[in-house]
Amino acid sequence: MRHFYLTGVVLAAGLMLSSGARMQAQMGQGGTGGGGGQGRRGGGGFGGGQAVQGTVTAATGGKVTIQTDAGDSYTVTVTGDTRIMRDRQPIKAADVKVGDSVSAVGAVDATAKTVAATMVMDVDAETVKKAKEDMGKTYITGKITAIDADNLKLTVMRTDTVSQVIQVDEGTSFQRGARGITVPSMGGGMGMGGGRGMGGGNGAAAAPPPPESITLADIKVGDTVVATGGLKGGVFVPAKMGVSEPGAAGGGRRRGAAADGQTAAPSAPASPPAPPQ
């Protein structure tokens, strides 16, 4: 099994392609991730049916072929009504290239392996490549598999299925959830932790409450994490880490989620989330 529940990650990944989506689903955050894997959650925050994430292997006319990290090949049909987005901006079908990571949202036929897409979220191949290279160096997403509290070390099974030992220090801050923690987007065009405030009068968005601060003692084996930081002596040291318990909001399999490379997609927002700060 290449996923934790599961985006998640969202993104992940036929290597890292789905970490954004997968972890976003696990951490219960706003925004969207995508890319990469059978059974991986993605398409969060967008409507139109179910979502399939994968890497583009062919793109001609109104057809895009994507391959999930489980090896399934889906044909995605786009029309003039399909919304195609990259980095929160609309693009044309001709801009989707081989090697890109996409999340295709729409009517999925799991038997025929087709998607009649209402929305396609694209991340260009160079961005995906850079995000893969930076995983475990400037950020990390995954599941805690071991804790050495005496030496302040955590073992993380990353969303690209690589096990990595990281070390926290006095400069590491811990919080419940991933809000405000922005990591590269490997699929779907949106990084984690962006989100938008809801509510407020006269069109003004109400500021969300600050994330709950926690300590190393609150972290347990099985928790999912997303963190940003850097290497110190060759070891990744998080500066900021968001933690979600199994079964927390978005942490387990969402109700209505489908298998076979698909996931149920919630209703679409009026406009894409604001870019992460």
Side-chain angles (χ1 to χ4, degrees):
M1 184 75 74
R2 292 172 66 87
H3 42 275
F4 302 148
Y5 30 74
L6 336 136
T7 11
V9 50
V10 129
L11 102 4
L15 212 48
M16 276 301 306
L17 300 183
S18 69
S19 71
R22 170 197 276 176
M23 289 302 300
Q24 195 168 312
Q26 292 174 320
M27 308 293 284
Q29 301 304 309
T32 302
Q38 180 179 18
R40 302 201 186 284
R41 295 162 191 251
F46 290 93
Q50 296 173 322
V52 175
Q53 301 92 29
T55 303
V56 177
T57 58
T60 57
K63 304 286 186 181
V64 176
T65 303
I66 62 176
Q67 185 174 34
T68 71
D69 68 341
D72 292 322
S73 182
Y74 280 79
T75 299
V76 180
T77 301
V78 298
T79 69
D81 294 326
T82 304
R83 188 180 183 190
I84 308 175
M85 305 290 291
R86 176 188 294 161
D87 195 24
R88 302 169 188 80
Q89 300 298 322
I91 62 173
K92 299 177 181 179
D95 296 324
V96 178
K97 304 296 184 182
V98 171
D100 289 1
S101 172
V102 304
S103 293
V105 181
V108 176
D109 186 327
T111 301
K113 294 290 191 291
T114 61
V115 185
T118 57
M119 174 174 284
V120 172
M121 292 163 284
D122 175 272
V123 178
D124 67 272
E126 188 60 30
T127 299
V128 173
K129 178 175 180 293
K130 180 65 162 58
K132 290 180 185 179
E133 293 172 348
D134 287 346
M135 177 65 140
K137 298 177 183 177
T138 64
Y139 75 99
I140 195 167
T141 60
K143 175 182 175 181
I144 300 294
T145 58
I147 299 174
D148 180 356
D150 291 337
N151 294 301
L152 304 179
K153 293 182 178 181
L154 305 173
T155 303
V156 178
M157 177 57 70
R158 299 179 347 196
T159 49
D160 57 356
T161 70
V162 173
S163 181
Q164 181 173 347
V165 177
I166 67 175
Q167 185 161 17
V168 301
D169 63 16
E170 66 281 357
T172 304
S173 65
F174 305 92
Q175 68 177 54
R176 190 67 68 190
R179 180 161 51 84
I181 303 177
T182 301
V183 300
S185 174
M186 275 69 63
M190 300 183 186
M192 295 178 56
R196 295 177 66 175
M198 300 297 291
N202 299 322
E212 175 192 356
S213 294
I214 60 175
T215 67
L216 179 60
D218 296 312
I219 301 175
K220 309 299 181 185
V221 170
D223 287 352
T224 55
V225 298
V226 55
T228 55
L231 296 178
K232 294 183 179 180
V235 178
F236 179 77
V237 178
K240 192 173 186 179
M241 176 183 288
V243 182
S244 180
E245 298 176 353
R253 177 172 288 279
R254 291 178 179 170
R255 293 180 181 178
D260 199 25
Q262 311 153 38
T263 179
S267 300
S271 60
Q277 300 299 315

